[in-house]
Amino acid sequence: MKLYGLIGYPLGHSFSQRYFTDKFAAAGIADCAYRNFPIETIEGVETVLQTPGLRGFNVTIPYKQAIVPYLSGLSDEARAIGAVNCVKITPEGLTGYNTDAYGFRRSLLNLLGDVRPEKALVLGTGGASKAVKYVLEQLGIAFDAVSRYVKNGAYTYGDLSEEIVRAHRLIVNATPLGTFPNAEGCPVLPYEALGAGHFLFDLVYNPAVTEFLKRGAAQGAATRNGYDMLVGQAEKAWEIWNE
């Protein structure tokens, strides 16, 4: 039996196990399985790696950067981004990839169509935000980061005036705020500054309409959640594992 999985903590919110289990059933793939490996610290990956039949695994919060020292190699994209969400296990060792960038780019372009906003706000500075920033750079969209804490070159949420929000027509939530079961949470923004020219992308997918997206839509902004991004990154991971 070929086994694949997901490491992170907690994993109650994750769609990966259900997605791949359904995928295997629909395609009649009987020799593969996918399971969750909730590990409270990154050191727990050492136990995961001893699991018989393990061929590869996905990586989610909070280990997309912490996993790197355990790897023997990185794809060019993962190295440029500085975060890993997909690991392939081979006899030569563990190689890290970033398929978040692939999934985000595909889904973002579907949201934007032919429009390219002049500036974007990226909410959050963790591993997921690194893939977002990488894609925005590729697309030539200037961006500013937003952090809970004072960091070089980043706004804090207290800095976000209506003027700043109006000047950034694309806003990407790369934080877990609003994820089920804490669905009432959302980034602190002057939502009244949003309008029909804005695009809001939330990497959160559960619930399908987060408070962040709900408030944006109420102001006329175009919105998209993270589900299509996740499907894209999952399919890219499957392709990598089977190359």
Side-chain angles (χ1 to χ4, degrees):
M1 176 68 72
K2 300 173 186 176
L3 182 64
Y4 305 90
L6 173 71
I7 67 166
Y9 194 83
L11 292 181
H13 67 283
S14 176
F15 100 131
S16 296
Q17 184 176 41
R18 182 177 70 252
Y19 180 83
F20 278 104
T21 299
D22 291 347
K23 175 183 175 68
F24 297 155
I29 301 173
D31 64 340
C32 293
Y34 192 102
R35 58 178 283 201
N36 285 341
F37 296 98
I39 54 175
E40 294 190 28
T41 67
I42 188 58
E43 289 77 15
V45 74
E46 296 174 5
T47 301
V48 173
L49 291 172
Q50 297 172 20
T51 306
L54 188 65
R55 301 294 186 90
F57 56 91
N58 293 119
V59 183
T60 190
I61 294 171
Y63 302 131
K64 291 185 179 185
Q65 295 165 268
I67 189 64
V68 172
Y70 292 86
L71 308 178
S72 55
L74 293 171
S75 70
D76 291 342
E77 196 165 55
R79 184 174 291 105
I81 293 169
V84 166
N85 75 312
C86 173
V87 175
K88 183 175 183 176
I89 301 173
T90 70
E92 291 73 38
L94 279 63
T95 303
Y97 298 83
N98 191 298
T99 66
D100 279 338
Y102 172 85
F104 176 66
R105 180 188 178 101
R106 188 181 74 164
S107 189
L108 177 65
L109 290 176
N110 285 337
L111 171 65
L112 297 179
D114 295 330
V115 178
R116 292 295 178 272
E118 299 80 10
K119 297 176 74 175
L121 287 175
V122 180
L123 312 181
T125 55
S129 74
K130 292 181 179 295
V132 169
K133 294 170 184 176
Y134 176 81
V135 170
L136 294 178
E137 287 176 349
Q138 286 187 319
L139 296 176
I141 299 174
F143 62 85
D144 290 300
V146 183
S147 173
R148 288 178 295 169
Y149 311 107
V150 176
K151 292 188 176 182
N152 290 339
Y155 289 118
T156 65
Y157 288 96
D159 295 328
L160 297 181
S161 64
E162 292 188 18
E163 181 181 4
I164 289 172
V165 169
R166 290 192 188 99
H168 293 75
R169 292 199 298 134
L170 171 61
I171 304 178
V172 182
N173 178 32
T175 80
L177 280 171
T179 303
F180 179 85
N182 301 312
E184 71 285 350
C186 66
V188 179
L189 304 173
Y191 288 92
E192 62 275 12
L194 299 173
H198 278 87
F199 298 87
L200 269 59
F201 193 112
D202 200 335
L203 270 59
V204 174
Y205 60 91
N206 182 16
V209 182
T210 61
E211 187 66 22
F212 171 69
L213 296 183
K214 187 185 303 181
R215 294 189 183 194
Q219 296 294 122
T223 64
R224 175 158 295 217
N225 69 21
Y227 184 79
D228 286 343
M229 172 183 169
L230 283 170
V231 170
Q233 66 86 11
E235 289 299 326
K236 190 66 174 178
W238 180 244
E239 177 185 315
I240 288 167
W241 292 331
N242 289 280
E243 284 176 343

